[in-house]
Amino acid sequence: MAANPFHLAWFLQGSSIQAWGSPWTGNISEEWGTASMFLDLVRNMERAGFDYILIEDSIYIGQNWKDSRQMFLENGMSVPRQEPSVVASIMAAATTRLGIVPTLSTFAYAPYLTARIVGTLDQISSGRGGWNMVTGSSDLSAMNFGADRLPDHDKRYDMAEEYIQICKQLWGSWEPGAIVADRKSGILIDHTKVHTIDFEGEYYRCRGPLNSGPLPQGQPVIAQAGGSVKGKTFAARYADTIVAAPRGIPAMKAYRDDIRSQMTAMGRDPNSCKTLFLVTPIVAETMDEANWRAEQRAVWASNNVDRCLAQLGWSTNIDFSGHDLDAPVGELTTNGHQSSLAQFVTKAGKKTLREAIIAHASGGYSTELVGTPDVVAGQMAEAMEEVGGDGFLINLPDVSRRSIATICDGLVPALQQRGLVRTKYAHEQLRDNLLEF
């Protein structure tokens, strides 16, 4: 292992019909419900030594284009989506070392239920469970749970403070050694080591204790995508791993430095949390093919401006269908994903909306990675050297067995040969593997 190894994880955009309509995707539109491709994905990831898979989620069908679901349904845009905790369970059963991190929204699940689901996942995976904590971004999702709209952005994080405190206290409601399993006395559980939490806050109340028992990790790994000012502070306080997508090496470094500074000010060891940057590598056998694929991505975006804007609107809660494509982007506000919108507006500069969305959709998130396996491995090494760590989250728009192979059988071996990522797991549990380096 090199002096400065880094971590790898996979950002799976929902357990939906990935890459439908693209070549080399098999019969995904007929087989997606069985999750067989996603099980192939996690088996390949584990063979390649990834730290974890994060299963992104949403609990609504997009309607942020001409106030209609047509665009989203016809093109399979973030739909259909299955319950991530169920998919996480079968992923855990198909692996032995890979961390499994489903997304559960604070507005959609009661705190006790989240604590129980994630705690159970940690148990059945022998300490590989995690929780991607999100507060929600779309009013459409709120309507599915009987509300007219989501609370304001900053209030959602105020509520999440109480929510996560309940979860952490519930996970801690069983002391170590509570299960004694003493066959001589006939006592299974020492009742003096299981406690109520009696949490009473402004937004939530919970009595406890958790009835599903203690967790192998004690506390599961918490992932969080802190992009807004409020979100970054929340992530600095609670996250064990952070999903980050600032655009460009300087922004990546500034983000990580800021998070680590906040952690230090809070009394946390900044090395206890791993910031992983979203990337969309284009890996091919030759540079010509890789460059061609990158060009094709830009061509596709140019020919599908409406779809690209609809997808941005899906996450930002904005319907762009009435906006002038050839006018400057200007100022935009949202109660949805503020960091996603802020990054789009910042990168747009003086571009027109058309130019900005083409650049946005054809880009590679944090940093551009295009080339042969060895070239991309070198690009990743250089990025980590400048940023300081901690690793990358692979986010492919066309998840298929073919594209998975370009990463697990192409890119990862090149990284391993440079000593940049692990060749085998040193530990059985997720947190231990995150803290290995």
Side-chain angles (χ1 to χ4, degrees), residues 12 16 18 25 28 31 34-42 399-401 404:
L12 179 66
S16 56
Q18 300 277 347
T25 55
I28 187 63
E31 298 172 355
T34 66
S36 62
M37 190 187 75
F38 304 109
L39 298 185
D40 286 348
L41 168 60
V42 294
V399 178
S400 66
R401 291 177 177 88
I404 292 166

Side-chain angles (χ1 to χ4, degrees), residues 340-372:
S340 298
L341 184 63
Q343 288 164 9
F344 174 72
V345 171
T346 299
K347 188 176 180 182
K350 296 182 180 180
K351 292 186 179 77
T352 65
L353 181 58
R354 185 194 307 275
E355 293 167 338
I357 193 61
I358 291 171
H360 178 81
S362 57
Y365 287 101
S366 295
T367 185
E368 296 289 334
L369 301 173
V370 179
T372 63

Side-chain angles (χ1 to χ4, degrees), residues 237-256:
R237 182 173 294 120
Y238 295 111
D240 299 297
T241 182
I242 295 173
V243 180
R247 300 270 179 153
I249 301 294
M252 291 165 66
K253 178 173 173 51
Y255 181 97
R256 183 173 181 268

Side-chain angles (χ1 to χ4, degrees), residues 89-163:
S89 296
I90 61 172
M91 286 179 171
T95 53
T96 61
R97 291 293 183 272
L98 183 71
I100 313 292
V101 185
T103 297
L104 300 174
S105 305
T106 55
F107 75 90
Y109 301 77
Y112 190 94
L113 182 58
T114 290
R116 195 165 185 248
I117 289 172
V118 177
T120 301
L121 177 62
D122 198 51
Q123 292 164 346
I124 66 169
S125 66
S126 300
R128 296 182 288 123
W131 168 36
N132 180 40
M133 198 228 79
V134 299
T135 62
S137 61
S138 174
D139 292 339
L140 294 172
S141 58
M143 294 174 191
N144 288 334
F145 292 85
D148 294 328
R149 63 188 299 273
L150 288 174
D152 289 341
H153 178 274
D154 286 0
K155 184 179 180 181
R156 296 203 297 270
Y157 276 104
D158 291 337
M159 297 172 71
E161 289 276 353
E162 291 186 8
Y163 191 108

Side-chain angles (χ1 to χ4, degrees), residues 174 177-182 186-194 211 213-214:
W174 290 63
I179 298 182
V180 294
D182 188 336
I187 295 175
L188 176 63
I189 300 164
D190 182 347
H191 73 96
T192 67
K193 293 185 176 182
V194 183
N211 74 329

Side-chain angles (χ1 to χ4, degrees), residues 118 171 286 299 360 420 428 435:
V118 177
W171 292 321
T286 67
V299 169
H360 178 81
L420 293 170
E428 296 182 357
L435 296 178

